[in-house]
Amino acid sequence: MSRPRILVTRKLPADVEARALSHFAATLNPDDRASAREDILANTQGKDGLLVTVTDRIDAALIAALPASIRIISTFSVGYDHIDVAAAQARGIAVTNTPDVLTDATAEIALLLILGAARNAASGMATLREGRWKNWAPTGMLGTELSGKRLGILGLGRIGRATASRARAFGMEIHYHNRHRLAPELEAGAHYHTDIASLFSASDVLSIHCASTPETRGLINRETIALLPHGAIVVNTARGDIVDDEALIEALASGRIGAAGLDVYNNEPNLHPGYLNLPNAFLLPHLGSATLETRNAMGFRALENLEVFFAGKTPRDLLHP
Ligand code: DGY
């Protein structure tokens, strides 16, 4: 039987591409051109499946224009907000993602952001690099200690729980809100809040771990920011569109929010320029899953989903309607 034909939209780690070439008739993107929708459409002709990433906007119009030969979209990401899953499923196209394998890497970045925001890492680094560090001062650049502080987790899923377990090691008390309370073994002593208002008012640090959905988009806004304790820290490793940038920038500038640690943004990579001049914004360029171990694992998982699908079986990460 001839090998399934797949389009891989971005350059992937070498071992992942080698496996793609050994299992599939794979079209790769060695120059890593950001794939414009015209490129995707032109290159999907004659293909059986797509391996896409968070940078590919697979909306309903693009899905409608895909050739009939496309039977599966496998995304190299845990998030699938860049894909109109309902439109794909309505066309009988299967969609899979890569959960689990990026949990630890993303939780590590969440901790980096929490620490960086709490301890003035952004302004400390700028002070050094710009030659402004004159001497050590007893009252200079004072941050906030994590020990004994309350960490509010919005979305205690896999990544939220991995973040919580690391934060416990720093002596933080864990609070969370999910639509449904978790079983005690998953809560691991975390305090459950039935609503956002209650969670926010109990969060010295708020870390966002929920998916981007119509319900969560813009959830961090002027009204909800006002619920946080004065000087609270906001950390986001989930998706940029959960935050109303204008509201957060205004709160950071006024000191209403003490600091923010952000890895994801609206309109990446063109984040709101207002963040860039804020000394209390510790910013990273969407590095959550950016380790070779994790990117390999994501690639192998995305390929495994394709292999299982084309073998006529149900991929373990199939998104169900
Ligand atoms: C994902 O997998 O959704 C991440 O945001 C990519 O780093």
Side-chain angles (χ1 to χ4, degrees), residues 294-317:
T294 290
R295 292 283 164 84
N296 274 334
M298 291 166 73
F300 294 141
R301 186 81 170 240
L303 288 173
E304 179 200 307
N305 286 322
L306 289 164
E307 287 156 23
V308 170
F309 177 83
F310 286 116
K313 302 192 199 108
T314 305
R316 64 170 146 165
D317 304 317

Side-chain angles (χ1 to χ4, degrees), residues 53-54 75-82 97-99 102 106 159 237-239 263-264 268 286-290 294-295 298:
T53 75
V54 285
T75 184
F76 175 93
S77 63
V78 61
Y80 44 89
D81 47 300
H82 55 295
N97 66 339
T98 59
L102 43 65
T106 309
I159 299 172
T237 51
R239 282 294 180 264
D263 188 45
V264 288
E268 291 178 17
H286 203 146
L287 296 183
S289 63
T294 290
R295 292 283 164 84
M298 291 166 73

